[in-house]
Amino acid sequence: MRASQFTFATLKETPSDADIISSQLMLRAGFIRKSASGLYTWLPMGLKTLQKVEKVIREEMNAIHCQELLMPVVQSAELWQESGRWEAYGPELLRFKDRHQRDFVLGPTHEEVITDIARNLLKSYKQLPVSYYQIQTKFRDEIRPRFGVMRSREFIMKDAYSFHIDQPSLQLTYDDMYRAYTNIFTRLGLDFRAVQADTGSIGGFASHEFQVLAGSGEDDIVFSDSSDYAANIELAEAICTSERPAATQPKQNVSTPDMPTCEQVAEHLGLALSQTVKTLIVEGNPTEEGTVTLVALVLRGDHTLNEIKAEKLPQVKAPLTMASEEAMLAAGLHKGYIGVFDLDMPVIVDRSAAVLADFVSGANQPDFHTTGVNWERDAQITAIADIRNVVEGDASPDGQGTLQIRRGIEVGHIFQLGDKYAKALNCAVMGEQGKPVITMMGCYGIGVTRIVAAAIEQSHDDNGIIWKTSSTGESIAPFDVAIVPMVKGKMKDALNPEKGDPAMQLAQQLYQSLQVQGVDVLLDDRDERAGVKFADLELVGIPHRIVISEKNIHADNANETLYEYVNREQGEKQLLTHAQLMQTLAAHNVLKSNS
Ligand code: ATP
Ligand code: MG
């Protein structure tokens, strides 16, 4: 590609609303332009990278015999009514009417459409297992679009769906997908982890997220320091190995005016925060008449509630809803001073709070707390449960080592759905016994556009993006190589064969020979100062830059021409002969070496 014929939309200034480094760099490097909140155009430079990501994904999906198809973005509401998600899916689902007043949605995901296809296509168990994928635009009306294409409203997803006669068959395809995802993210040069994930309200059998490690990630992921245990914090189990000591103190009320938080009370009393408990009041399942009921959740003062775990408790209403202040007051409870005793509701105590003795809780009286509280003697436990988020240093639930927490960006998610959609939409095939069998399903997503942002989050410097070459020797940089001829005067003259500029002639030769060898190469023939070109190429992150100057032609002792080579990641300039240049490009896998 000639740079003069290619849109370089680089910006000097960082757009003021770009919130994280990847979004700043994608805007500045001319990869994307914002159209409206959560809506972006992919400019030619960005699209080149995006298409390289898609190529890797396609190759790995095809390699496990997942077949590509393409479903409509606009989906009929009837399918969503059949699955029950027309009501259940929140406001992220964009619903609209056509001219005939029929309801439609913009697809945030495609379980309904693919299950409709499958129930038509699949007749017999002999056709199973089968899996399909597409790479396509999704729309989710995210409440807070942010971080550029990382959390946009319109984005590109690779979504795949598999159909099976039984669970063991689903497990085999799931394992294939797990391996394919591992290959994809490895080939894309990402530092990622596969972590166990919550199966949510669907209650599927298994689920893993693929998380790119980055400080700007929105997920907390948990690892053991001594085993391969890794899970999203939503799911990571908090185990408690200690036992409750015997009570030694009497229960006593102490004055704690204007101290509604455990931190304030612990400091005031000179106690560790871990000797205090907080009691959170949430809504329980409503009575048959629809009256709101309450449930108390008790946690150690230094721990935080895990809402996903809490809403799975049989006593607790899902989605988790904190009790209103009025409901609490009606039950005689004062926010900030709620005690664990005399509660006329189920009291669910976190495992770590249940082993405390002589602890501090609210006194059920404004401006007072109670010290020396002991379970059973002073307060009753309805149930002990794991309802907190793990913290660094907790014991790993697999019994090996302690837990560490890092931030992650979710780039992929694989999920065993079971029969949820197949049952709702009656996707059945004739089984081996001659009776219809509801199929089992898996679904497998990759955030294609999000990957580009995640890669940049992981790899950049003050000058711009650095596209890492993966351990498989691949790169998703928009171009592999940039050639910069240092010409005298205007490019137009240098390009004129009659006037003939030696640096340009050599640059064109190299450009053509690299193109013939399948290298994605950019000839920077823009009429710009060298400094501007270098800054642009560094911002965009072209991995290999070759500068050709007349002074280096026939320049070394053996009368050989030298090429100035700079590797974007390593930075230093080298003067290389043609043979050395080719060796260097081959060593970086840009050229397939002949050996
Ligand atoms: P998140 O928790 O980040 O909202 P999700 O669980 O809703 O993700 P899935 O429904 O599993 O996501 O979608 C598959 C993939 O699509 C995700 O792993 C993620 O990479 C990507 N994705 C989801 N929402 C967005 C978005 N708003 N913008 C860009 N990519 C997204
Ligand atoms: Mg989401």
Side-chain angles (χ1 to χ4, degrees), residues 244-253 275 277 279 298 338-344 347 349 353-354 356-364 369-382:
R244 187 190 304 157
T248 64
Q249 297 174 6
K251 179 173 164 235
Q252 196 177 0
N253 279 6
Q275 267 309 109
V277 301
T279 307
V298 181
I338 302 169
V340 291
F341 25 74
D342 307 330
L343 291 173
D344 187 17
V347 179
V349 182
L356 291 179
D358 302 331
F359 60 91
V360 181
S361 98
N364 280 338
H369 279 78
T370 308
T371 60
V373 183
N374 283 280
W375 294 118
E376 282 158 30
R377 187 192 72 185
D378 309 318
Q380 302 314 311
I381 296 178
T382 311

Side-chain angles (χ1 to χ4, degrees), residues 132-442:
Y132 302 104
Y133 78 96
Q134 63 176 347
I135 295 181
Q136 191 228 33
T137 297
K138 298 281 184 274
F139 189 90
R140 293 183 183 178
D141 203 354
E142 297 276 354
I143 184 163
R144 209 155 68 84
R146 58 189 181 278
F147 306 155
V149 297
M150 197 91 93
R151 183 165 300 284
S152 47
R153 295 197 297 165
E154 190 176 296
F155 59 98
I156 297 175
M157 197 199 284
K158 184 287 299 180
D159 45 328
Y161 306 88
S162 66
F163 295 86
H164 308 269
I165 194 71
D166 56 19
Q167 162 66 22
S169 164
L170 169 56
Q171 184 66 45
L172 288 177
T173 297
Y174 186 85
D175 294 342
D176 281 347
M177 284 285 177
Y178 186 103
R179 279 189 291 270
Y181 274 42
T182 303
N183 292 345
I184 289 167
F185 298 121
T186 304
R187 289 180 60 186
L188 296 176
L190 298 168
D191 182 12
F192 71 96
R193 298 285 184 284
V195 306
Q196 294 173 25
D198 181 52
T199 47
S201 52
I202 296 178
F205 298 92
S207 170
H208 284 88
E209 287 166 357
F210 289 76
Q211 297 269 0
V212 164
L213 302 181
S216 57
E218 294 183 282
D219 289 8
D220 277 317
I221 46 181
V222 177
F223 310 90
S224 163
D225 61 4
S226 347
S227 73
D228 58 8
Y229 177 81
N232 190 307
I233 198 161
E234 292 178 350
L235 182 81
E237 185 185 357
I239 56 170
C240 179
T241 44
S242 49
E243 292 199 3
R244 187 190 304 157
T248 64
Q249 297 174 6
K251 179 173 164 235
Q252 196 177 0
N253 279 6
V254 292
S255 167
T256 52
D258 290 329
M259 291 179 215
T261 69
C262 289
E263 284 81 2
Q264 291 166 323
V265 173
E267 201 190 326
H268 177 68
L269 299 175
L271 288 172
L273 192 54
S274 55
Q275 267 309 109
T276 66
V277 301
K278 53 188 163 201
T279 307
L280 307 172
I281 309 293
V282 300
E283 290 190 12
N285 292 311
T287 60
E288 271 177 26
E289 299 80 52
T291 318
V292 172
T293 66
L294 299 178
V295 176
L297 304 176
V298 181
L299 296 149
R300 240 166 59 179
D302 58 331
H303 287 152
T304 55
L305 180 69
N306 181 311
E307 298 192 3
I308 306 256
K309 292 177 183 176
E311 72 184 19
K312 283 187 189 155
L313 295 170
Q315 297 91 341
V316 171
K317 190 178 104 180
L320 190 81
T321 314
M322 301 312 277
S324 66
E325 225 156 301
E326 298 82 75
M328 289 200 272
L329 279 175
L333 303 173
H334 304 272
K335 203 171 170 213
Y337 299 93
I338 302 169
V340 291
F341 25 74
D342 307 330
L343 291 173
D344 187 17
M345 62 185 80
V347 179
I348 317 276
V349 182
D350 181 66
R351 290 169 177 171
S352 303
V355 295
L356 291 179
D358 302 331
F359 60 91
V360 181
S361 98
N364 280 338
Q365 179 181 337
D367 295 337
F368 281 90
H369 279 78
T370 308
T371 60
V373 183
N374 283 280
W375 294 118
E376 282 158 30
R377 187 192 72 185
D378 309 318
Q380 302 314 311
I381 296 178
T382 311
I384 297 174
D386 169 25
I387 52 172
R388 71 170 172 98
N389 288 316
V390 296
V391 291
E392 289 222 21
D394 275 346
S396 177
D398 67 353
Q400 296 177 54
T402 54
L403 295 179
Q404 296 181 330
I405 301 180
R406 301 269 297 275
R407 300 292 270 177
I409 300 168
E410 182 195 320
V411 288
H413 195 174
I414 58 176
F415 203 111
Q416 297 189 17
L417 290 168
D419 64 3
K420 177 179 155 109
Y421 295 97
K423 208 169 175 176
L425 277 80
N426 193 27
C427 177
V429 295
M430 200 49 79
E432 225 169 330
Q433 319 299 339
K435 288 203 196 94
V437 180
I438 297 282
T439 58
M440 299 293 274
M441 275 176 75

